[in-house]
Amino acid sequence: KNSILNFYKELIKLRRTNDALVNGSYTAADDNNKDVLSYIRKSEGESVLVALNMTAEIKTVQYNLTTYGINTNSAHTLLSSPHGSSKSMSLKNLTLPPFGVFIGKVQ
């Protein structure tokens, strides 16, 4: 269940079924962070934050998305690696494990 193959199957399914990931616009969320690649995919009525830790170290990031028209301090987990539960995560203190992935719905 926690294999790389199953993670990619979930990722492909999410990419095919989530309108923001399929058709949404791309906006970099934190250009100044050289360790974590972060961006927002935004479509009509739906926004998704993607955060990718590109290092072998734990990284904690903070997001203020009001400049992108998103007035929330949390994101509902759509997919994460290592595999996490579908719960609300704080954008004020998001911890990413080494080479970790977080994909969350923000509104």
Side-chain angles (χ1 to χ4, degrees):
K1 178 177 171 137
N2 292 326
S3 70
I4 293 173
L5 174 63
N6 283 327
F7 175 78
Y8 276 100
K9 285 180 179 180
E10 289 182 49
L11 184 61
I12 291 167
K13 180 181 175 185
L14 181 61
R15 173 67 171 89
R16 288 182 177 159
T17 60
N18 184 286
D19 189 53
L21 295 174
V22 174
N23 299 311
S25 62
Y26 170 93
T27 305
D30 188 359
D31 281 340
N32 298 324
N33 191 331
K34 64 180 178 54
D35 296 329
V36 178
L37 172 64
S38 305
Y39 59 91
I40 299 166
R41 295 292 305 261
K42 199 172 188 181
S43 67
E44 187 67 35
E46 186 168 33
S47 299
V48 173
L49 171 69
V50 177
L52 310 168
N53 182 354
M54 307 300 280
T55 71
E57 300 174 5
I58 294 172
K59 296 293 178 180
T60 301
V61 290
Q62 299 84 30
Y63 297 101
N64 180 354
L65 304 179
T66 55
T67 58
Y68 309 107
I70 301 168
N71 297 315
T72 187
N73 291 322
S74 64
H76 176 77
T77 305
L78 298 173
L79 185 64
S80 66
S81 173
H83 193 65
S85 62
S86 294
K87 62 179 182 176
S88 185
M89 299 294 290
S90 172
L91 297 178
K92 297 260 184 212
N93 194 27
L94 181 63
T95 301
L96 298 168
F99 303 107
V101 173
F102 175 80
I103 303 172
K105 183 177 181 177
V106 291
Q107 303 264 213

